Amino acid sequence: DGYDRIPTVSDLAVCGTSISGLIQATEQLSQGRFCLLPLQTSDWAAGVAALVNLYQRYPEWQAVPLLNLYTSYCWGSQLTPQQLLAYLQGRPISPPPADWSVGHFALLIGQLQGDRHSLYAVLDTYPHFGWQGLHLQPIEALAPSLQRPDFPTAGGIALFIRAEERSQTTALVEKAGFCLQPWNNGTPTLHSK
């Protein structure tokens, strides 16, 4: 119900989801019970590791990290089990090229640690990527997908939490080196009237 009321436009230059719009929608649709904290850092390799450590230390947050990445930096989602094991053991592999090239939101749901390397578990809304939407990415792909060094836009991580946890979570993520600031992912922010 209600899909007929979702606004549409034909101009692709203004289509997409801005982080500011997502923050506003989260608070409005949850009637203030949940919020998104927009996390930024100049070092995403360290930042992703710090965030995983935080939500492992504080499982009571039930925090959900929402990645706003640029997919062209990612490994293709159809890695073989042999490729995954070789990478985790520190052996060189030739990963498949990225499945697509677009700014996108996906969930960071965990980390798979190997003898030499780790892979981060990313859950996508499109089930044809990986295994029913689950695919694994190394930090050397995930960090630039958030930083977007070849684009004028930026990415980041929006941390979905209960609103009552906002002040404690803000203090901890700032102590971990993040700044809380929405980023320009290339989608204009349309303000409601």
Side-chain angles (χ1 to χ4, degrees):
D1 288 340
Y3 280 113
D4 58 331
R5 294 190 308 265
I6 294 176
T8 60
V9 297
S10 58
D11 182 0
L12 293 179
V14 298
C15 292
T17 304
S18 71
I19 189 60
S20 297
L22 201 53
I23 290 168
Q24 180 183 1
T26 299
E27 293 186 17
Q28 184 177 351
L29 293 172
S30 72
Q31 298 177 341
R33 291 178 297 157
F34 297 97
C35 63
L36 286 177
L37 298 181
L39 306 183
Q40 286 287 286
T41 182
S42 60
D43 182 355
W44 280 113
V48 170
L51 186 60
V52 168
N53 288 336
L54 277 175
Y55 69 75
Q56 287 176 344
R57 282 182 31 217
Y58 299 97
E60 66 274 11
W61 286 355
Q62 298 179 353
V64 179
L66 180 61
L67 306 171
N68 185 203
L69 44 83
Y70 207 90
T71 60
S72 63
Y73 297 98
C74 294
W75 282 4
S77 63
Q78 301 299 323
L79 288 166
T80 67
Q82 293 82 4
Q83 287 174 310
L84 292 174
L85 289 173
Y87 177 81
L88 291 170
Q89 293 169 353
R91 292 184 279 140
I93 68 165
S94 295
D99 296 307
W100 57 345
S101 181
V102 67
H104 187 54
F105 286 96
L107 298 178
L108 175 64
I109 63 168
Q111 182 182 26
L112 180 62
Q113 295 181 329
D115 297 332
R116 300 283 306 274
H117 294 126
S118 296
L119 290 165
Y120 289 93
V122 175
L123 186 60
D124 206 291
T125 53
Y126 295 96
H128 60 275
F129 291 128
W131 303 279
Q132 296 297 311
L134 176 67
H135 53 98
L136 300 171
Q137 298 292 330
I139 196 61
E140 59 264 26
L142 203 52
S145 77
L146 294 164
Q147 190 73 42
R148 303 181 184 191
D150 303 315
F151 291 90
T153 60
I157 298 178
L159 197 59
F160 179 85
I161 58 169
R162 291 187 304 265
E164 64 200 45
E165 304 281 352
R166 185 191 310 247
S167 60
Q168 178 194 20
T169 305
T170 297
L172 289 167
V173 296
E174 286 177 339
K175 187 176 179 182
F178 290 100
C179 65
L180 273 66
Q181 179 179 346
W183 54 89
N184 174 11
N185 66 1
T187 300
T189 301
L190 302 177
H191 299 283
S192 57
K193 296 180 181 180

